[in-house]
Amino acid sequence: MKLALIGAGRIGKVHAQAIDRNPKVSLAAVADFHPEAAEALASQYGARVLNAEADFEDADIDAVLIASSTPTHAEYLERAAQSGKAVLCEKPIALDLERTRAALAVLADHPVTCALGFNRRHDPQFAALQQVLVEGRIGSLETLSIISRDPAPPPAEYVGASGGLFRDMMIHDFDMARWLLDEPIVQVQAQGSCLIDPAIGEAGDVDTAMVILTTASGRLCHINNSRRACYGYDQRIEAFGSAGMLQAQNETETRLRFTGEAGQVEDKPKWFFLERYAQAYSNEIDDFVDAWQAQRAPLAGAQDGLEALRLAEAAQRSLQERRPVALNDIR
Amino acid sequence: MKLALIGAGRIGKVHAQAIDRNPKVSLAAVADFHPEAAEALASQYGARVLNAEADFEDADIDAVLIASSTPTHAEYLERAAQSGKAVLCEKPIALDLERTRAALAVLADHPVTCALGFNRRHDPQFAALQQVLVEGRIGSLETLSIISRDPAPPPAEYVGASGGLFRDMMIHDFDMARWLLDEPIVQVQAQGSCLIDPAIGEAGDVDTAMVILTTASGRLCHINNSRRACYGYDQRIEAFGSAGMLQAQNETETRLRFTGEAGQVEDKPKWFFLERYAQAYSNEIDDFVDAWQAQRAPLAGAQDGLEALRLAEAAQRSLQERRPVALNDIR
Amino acid sequence: MKLALIGAGRIGKVHAQAIDRNPKVSLAAVADFHPEAAEALASQYGARVLNAEADFEDADIDAVLIASSTPTHAEYLERAAQSGKAVLCEKPIALDLERTRAALAVLADHPVTCALGFNRRHDPQFAALQQVLVEGRIGSLETLSIISRDPAPPPAEYVGASGGLFRDMMIHDFDMARWLLDEPIVQVQAQGSCLIDPAIGEAGDVDTAMVILTTASGRLCHINNSRRACYGYDQRIEAFGSAGMLQAQNETETRLRFTGEAGQVEDKPKWFFLERYAQAYSNEIDDFVDAWQAQRAPLAGAQDGLEALRLAEAAQRSLQERRPVALNDIR
Amino acid sequence: MKLALIGAGRIGKVHAQAIDRNPKVSLAAVADFHPEAAEALASQYGARVLNAEADFEDADIDAVLIASSTPTHAEYLERAAQSGKAVLCEKPIALDLERTRAALAVLADHPVTCALGFNRRHDPQFAALQQVLVEGRIGSLETLSIISRDPAPPPAEYVGASGGLFRDMMIHDFDMARWLLDEPIVQVQAQGSCLIDPAIGEAGDVDTAMVILTTASGRLCHINNSRRACYGYDQRIEAFGSAGMLQAQNETETRLRFTGEAGQVEDKPKWFFLERYAQAYSNEIDDFVDAWQAQRAPLAGAQDGLEALRLAEAAQRSLQERRPVALNDIR
């Protein structure tokens, strides 16, 4: 697969590296709002620089990976689809439901392979956990707990543009919840506080949040988010069912244990998503190429982006209106 | 301390054993609705059988331990206080706020040493965790997660009489939350399902529940209850703060690890409260005797029983009315 | 069982406490070389002071627990047996084989219940491990590793009188090895160094040692001793067999885990034998009383003391003569 | 670096893959005793097939990686050195000291960059452990325990040609011991048994072995080998020092923990060296290229191969002669 990468920033570089390691896909072109960033990345991997505006018609490109800034996602996605290119789009498609739905409508008219960048589904830990659930080894799933904490809060100005904690950060957990609960979520209860950085509160957001999701059959899911964990990236899931409990523990750099006067000490969790999800990004590319070749749906697609956003909208409304919100009310 | 035990059932026997091991307290008398039960326990420990109705005036008894059936707690508590006896009362004082408040009023007029049986405060794990919080070693506490799962559900008929999951089971977690959060709780959001035994649902109760508590300063607390965990009694707490996270893990019978073709296997958690909280019951007696001798407040008292019950009432109302409930509205 | 305790020192007090908690045995009398020590302990538990010399004929005593200084063990043991008393003797019977054999000969003529204080056989961890081995759950045992490290070295003067590391410290591990290997040991290879305290070396002893034992069928056992582990009492066993591996890990005070900038920290091991083997001492009394009542052999007896001492002798000779020593050569 | 690979078997393929992932080195040529094996691997990576006999003079090759059968190592090593090529040679250089010394003499005359394939030095776990030792965080190292167990025994015919357990398997542990003890080893005591496969014993070898090494200052090192661990590749190290203990635990595929009626279950160790040491093989190539570019010594060199072989020889002699062997006696 010959792939054009839109966006040469931090996450674009992660994807470029994963592409480079994958013999089934080659980085053909790189575009960026800052031409010098595109040039630097393109030259590193022997790709050409792409003028994003013009080159979507290029017959020599099979696919587009959208890793540009969030507000540009939907338009690039639509143009890629209209050009008949497969597309892997970083989440979210857009920060509002209307724009997201418009993009989905374009995809409906131009049914290309479309993957959405919910990287955690590709994480080996969580993928293995999901497999155990599917195999029924914990019996019937009853409750799920998802803990997700970033090592350090973003600047308050980022928070303002990000759509807020639910749309920007917890959206990953909403997707996890949907994937693992494996039945419709019907209600969202959210609670949030600003305990870490007052500037985040002044920007109208929270930095600490808890949510309870309820599914159609009564399964309960707890999500626990913090914008700052001094010990690193805390990414754990606990699934509880009629025949047992399954926990995905944090990954660590080494398996060393030091025992001294202060106790028995092991590594703290890996620092952030680049460390923790390196393998997930590789697997994501793999899944994308494979889906394109096999003409099957990728592990996460555009509809998953819409559904996760609906949950984020419901959580935001629940927080503001101080009441549980039925997902049916989020259109 | 010479102590009279009211109630010779399962929990009464646990207390009798803890009393027997403690050189500072002697079991002087035993009463039970079933005289033969009282006699059996009394003869085992060399105590006399007490006619509960008559003997509270007995000058030879210093204290009363109430471990009889829940509906009798409040009256025994009042009579003990009126007789000037110290009293250790199993939780709850009563299943409704009005009766509980009436008992507290009697205690206000007859200020004897009064301890309430929130045994988990005396558990070495949770006591050590609380100590670390007090010392500030995780910085400022921001979120708390309390997981509490019983090994097997009670019969549905018990559930009916018990006051329901929030008043009967989660009440312990509400007390833990109050103790550890260490500031006023202002709001309760509850969600519950009947996933384990339909008879529990028919009796009007849930068997699986999640709650979010919010404190005055915005701290968030998650409580996670299930009436059935096939692997035993799941009793864990996770406290997250600005300087770190502290987890109380489950206790196990041994520290053996078997590694074989099926993986690395360690013991499951201890089976139920008798195994897990054996030491807690001993410590509870110790604290009670010590509080009585030193004329200080015990670790958990009657007011703590009232406050935990208010949280249970709020949770029950939140579940029924499908909305967050302000604790101020629970009078 | 009415029991007389000889020795009111540190280990005597441990036994007195275990006796006090056991309803099947009562502490009737206490003797000590220092009468005031005997009096203090006797009065604490309502026992009378015993003149060790005179009272063995006392018809009112069923058993003698010998916890006096090592050089007195054998004589007390013999006198107890000659008086027809059951006897629980702290290890070792004596520091040399000849004296030990003489005591065994007296026991052969006066076959009373005789238990030897190899407390580790009564430790719940090691007892559970042994049970798993007996049940064959690791298949055929092939190798065993025993790690035993004290928190701090004894004074060099103690070392001189103790018989040295092999007779004083590793003797426990030799007994463990015998119990778990469950077949004759035929050869001992020892290596030792003085790495911790030069005074120990000047006293002619080592403070760090490794041994390899070989059994008749070729099973291999590694023993690893150090007189000082800064993190506490390190007491672990690893059994490896054809169907798996079983490890007894160290016990800790709590199961708390703190995660912070320095990593994930759990408690260090319990500090020393009083903390680690508290339950073992209780179980030892239980086993002794039960063996006496049931007229069965206790879990560890005088012959086990002799056999462990033979292994210590072999190790000492192996160290000195720098060669493996066949156990048959130790008479 | 342009590299020629000699040997297209299992380990050759591992190296080819690691080379392919490393942008600093390219696989220029492949040779194998079986031309079709060489062709298959060469075509996979776009390399040419090398006639091993003729092409060492090829000016277009910088380095040779020797992954052919053991008896050919020394000659290829010498020819590479004589041709001025850098060389990375799989261990061992030869199975006897004389042939090894002859190769070292050639290297002395032709001082090219020469790395020896002691892959474990490049394992992230063990490298991190070594770093902690070097930094002195466990104080002064006193004892070391190295556990190394293969998942399944090789065929008895392999055992015969391999030089035996000490030269073929424990040689890795001898190298680890040398690297971590960081001072001269002076004595070797070995013990071995045939407990797994009688055919191994009939071939004159052991399948289960324990060794004690002693260093000049008295540090002790225990090595524990088994040819078969039903749960996979058991690769652990425990370093004990004056200020603490450091343990490298086994790696597992995931960090999932399942808790059910059978207990708390985590993954067994990774199955064998291809899984466990995948990263080590990559790091080994990295170190080799870097050493060649920087004209520095690689992490493990030819002399390390000789010294590890001397330890294996000493162990073999110790086993046969049933006595400790001074390393000085192994010439």
Side-chain angles (χ1 to χ4, degrees), chain D residues 115-195:
Chain D
L116 201 70
F118 281 130
N119 56 325
R120 293 184 198 175
R121 293 197 186 196
H122 303 281
D123 174 60
Q125 306 286 352
F126 297 149
L129 180 140
Q130 194 257 358
Q131 188 58 31
V132 172
L133 297 192
V134 165
E135 289 165 4
R137 280 157 56 195
I138 67 160
S140 172
L141 178 66
E142 292 168 358
T143 68
L144 190 68
S145 292
I146 301 176
I147 291 171
S148 181
R149 296 169 182 147
D150 284 353
E157 54 267 34
Y158 169 86
V159 165
S162 72
L165 182 144
F166 296 112
R167 290 187 194 90
D168 174 54
M169 180 177 176
M170 201 181 279
I171 190 116
H172 282 290
D173 306 300
F174 289 131
D175 181 63
M176 262 292 130
R178 288 188 62 245
W179 192 44
L180 299 175
L181 289 168
D182 200 26
E183 67 171 24
I185 293 164
V186 296
Q187 185 189 270
V188 179
Q189 287 168 277
Q191 189 64 32
S193 296
C194 182
L195 300 174

Side-chain angles (χ1 to χ4, degrees), chain B residues 162-190:
Chain B
S162 73
L165 182 143
F166 296 114
R167 290 187 193 90
D168 174 53
M169 180 177 175
M170 200 181 280
I171 191 118
H172 281 290
D173 306 300
F174 288 131
D175 181 64
M176 262 292 131
R178 287 188 61 245
W179 191 45
L180 298 176
L181 289 168
D182 201 25
E183 66 171 25
I185 292 164
V186 296
Q187 186 189 272
V188 179
Q189 287 168 278

Side-chain angles (χ1 to χ4, degrees), chain B residues 18-39:
Chain B
I19 289 164
D20 187 54
R21 280 203 221 94
N22 193 320
K24 288 183 283 187
V25 55
S26 65
L27 186 62
V30 178
D32 195 275
F33 182 75
H34 301 289
E36 62 280 15
E39 267 164 45

Side-chain angles (χ1 to χ4, degrees), chain B residues 83-237:
Chain B
S83 306
K85 310 298 184 194
V87 60
L88 167 51
C89 184
E90 266 303 317
K91 65 93 209 164
I93 296 173
L95 286 173
D96 64 291
L97 289 169
E98 194 177 359
R99 186 68 190 86
T100 304
R101 282 211 168 82
L104 264 73
V106 172
L107 280 167
D109 290 343
H110 303 272
V112 298
T113 296
C114 177
L116 201 70
F118 281 132
N119 56 322
R120 293 183 199 176
R121 292 197 186 197
H122 303 281
D123 174 59
Q125 306 286 351
F126 296 149
L129 180 141
Q130 194 256 1
Q131 188 58 31
V132 173
L133 297 192
V134 165
E135 289 166 2
R137 280 156 55 194
I138 68 160
S140 171
L141 178 67
E142 291 168 358
T143 68
L144 189 68
S145 293
I146 301 176
I147 291 171
S148 181
R149 296 169 182 147
D150 284 352
E157 54 266 33
Y158 169 86
V159 164
S162 73
L165 182 143
F166 296 114
R167 290 187 193 90
D168 174 53
M169 180 177 175
M170 200 181 280
I171 191 118
H172 281 290
D173 306 300
F174 288 131
D175 181 64
M176 262 292 131
R178 287 188 61 245
W179 191 45
L180 298 176
L181 289 168
D182 201 25
E183 66 171 25
I185 292 164
V186 296
Q187 186 189 272
V188 179
Q189 287 168 278
Q191 190 63 34
S193 296
C194 182
L195 300 173
I196 298 166
D197 182 357
I200 290 175
E202 286 156 22
D205 200 7
V206 295
D207 52 31
T208 303
M210 285 186 176
V211 158
I212 301 173
L213 306 176
T214 310
T215 72
S217 77
R219 288 174 178 170
L220 303 179
C221 173
H222 167 64
I223 302 176
N224 184 313
N225 272 190
S226 171
R227 285 283 195 184
R228 180 267 298 113
C230 71
Y231 49 81
Y233 199 38
D234 198 347
Q235 300 281 297
R236 287 173 290 148
I237 295 181

